[in-house]
Amino acid sequence: MSDDQTLALSGRQPATLFVISAPSLSRGALTRLEAAARAATPGPVRLIRLEGTEPSLVDALDAMRAEGHRRIRVQPFGVPFPEGLLTWLPGVMADWRTRGDNADTTLEMGPDPATDAGSLAAQATAALSRRARSVEATSPRLGKPGWADPPDFEFHLLVCTGPRCAVHGAASFTHLLKEELKEAGVFDRCLTTRTGCIYPCNRGPILALYPHGHWYRLPDRAAVRRFVADVLMAGGTADDLRFHTARAARTTPSQAPETTP
Ligand code: FES
């Protein structure tokens, strides 16, 4: 008998937190995935997306512990699951156990789904068993007409919603930022783009402001509000919030490399 079967029979089946890495997955698709995961899994189940504005891994673990679960399996879900996240997840899980009373909760990390050749073969077989749809009646197109026109904006805000910034609160940060931009009346002057990882993950939540080339860490509403007022409205640089300036913005015209005609 396997460990899981033994646990199920003894009533100690761990709760399962499925984690997926799919930055552009729609809400509907996410809901369907969670329903499928629930149907296939004994015991309590949650599913989160590691990027974007979903509850972060830390928030989900907090919620499951608050529900009374003291043994939680974190299971990577979906193929391909990024290798970088597979190596990052155990450390975050271990860090979570050092917070508050979380050491009373056992965390387990499930295997990479891509290493199970049998399950991959079963997925391929199941996909191929379904009818394919012809595209002969579909109009040829590479995009919609409106996709040729850049929006008119003054500030380009690159807001990281990658998995590591998500652990540092990127989800609530993006909501706060949107609220503060609207409240200050500068929302329409900004092109706000959610990005994947742009590298300084440990500083999250972060944004990069262009064309200025300044990068900011904005950990709470007060910081977001000051960024909007001092930088976007008043034209300042809020140096205590800024942690980096891009090389291009540091280079004065006299330092710029000469171009050959
Ligand atoms: S996840 Fe945001 S900088 Fe890496």
Side-chain angles (χ1 to χ4, degrees):
M1 185 178 290
S2 71
D3 285 348
D4 283 352
Q5 287 169 318
T6 305
L7 284 165
L9 290 177
S10 66
R12 292 191 295 116
Q13 182 71 40
T16 305
L17 174 59
F18 286 102
V19 292
I20 62 171
S21 175
S24 55
L25 198 69
S26 71
R27 172 67 55 186
L30 200 62
T31 303
R32 286 195 296 278
L33 264 183
E34 183 165 38
R38 273 187 209 288
T41 312
V45 168
R46 275 185 186 236
L47 181 145
I48 59 164
R49 181 173 57 164
L50 290 170
E51 304 86 358
T53 55
E54 305 309 313
S56 72
L57 178 69
V58 166
D59 292 339
L61 290 173
D62 284 345
M64 293 175 87
R65 185 178 177 280
E67 289 165 359
H69 305 302
R70 293 294 180 271
R71 185 171 181 192
I72 303 170
R73 173 179 176 134
V74 175
Q75 179 58 57
F77 192 41
V79 176
F81 195 89
E83 289 175 321
L85 295 184
L86 287 170
T87 53
W88 168 73
L89 280 168
V92 183
M93 292 160 61
D95 180 78
W96 179 83
R97 291 191 76 248
T98 67
R99 303 181 186 196
D101 296 326
N102 293 349
D104 66 358
T105 302
T106 300
L107 293 185
E108 301 165 340
M109 169 90 177
D112 176 4
T115 56
D116 182 351
S119 127
L120 292 180
Q123 281 185 47
T125 304
L128 289 171
S129 71
R130 300 176 64 191
R131 184 186 293 274
R133 184 166 63 99
S134 168
V135 299
E136 283 179 18
T138 304
S139 307
R141 62 176 183 272
L142 296 180
K144 295 179 181 175
W147 291 355
D149 305 324
D152 193 24
F153 61 89
E154 190 176 336
F155 306 111
H156 194 181
L157 309 178
L158 303 178
V159 179
C160 182
T161 54
R164 288 165 282 268
C165 281
V167 161
H168 292 291
S172 53
F173 167 56
T174 51
H175 291 306
L176 283 178
L177 180 65
K178 189 173 176 184
E179 286 174 10
E180 292 296 328
L181 291 174
K182 284 187 172 174
E183 196 166 307
V186 289
F187 185 81
D188 292 338
R189 292 161 59 192
C190 298
L191 172 62
T192 303
T193 307
R194 290 180 192 166
T195 75
C197 179
I198 50 177
Y199 290 103
C201 318
N202 295 345
R203 296 181 187 266
I206 61 170
L207 66 73
L209 171 66
Y210 285 88
H212 307 62
H214 295 162
W215 293 36
Y216 292 90
R217 176 173 189 269
L218 304 175
D220 52 34
R221 184 180 286 276
V224 174
R225 185 164 289 175
R226 200 148 56 77
F227 166 78
V228 172
D230 293 0
V231 179
L232 302 186
M233 309 277 292
T237 52
D239 291 340
D240 59 316
L241 300 173
R242 178 168 56 122
F243 66 89
H244 176 64
T245 297
R247 186 188 302 170
R250 295 197 306 265
T251 308
T252 63
S254 61
Q255 294 170 312
E258 289 183 11
T259 53
T260 29

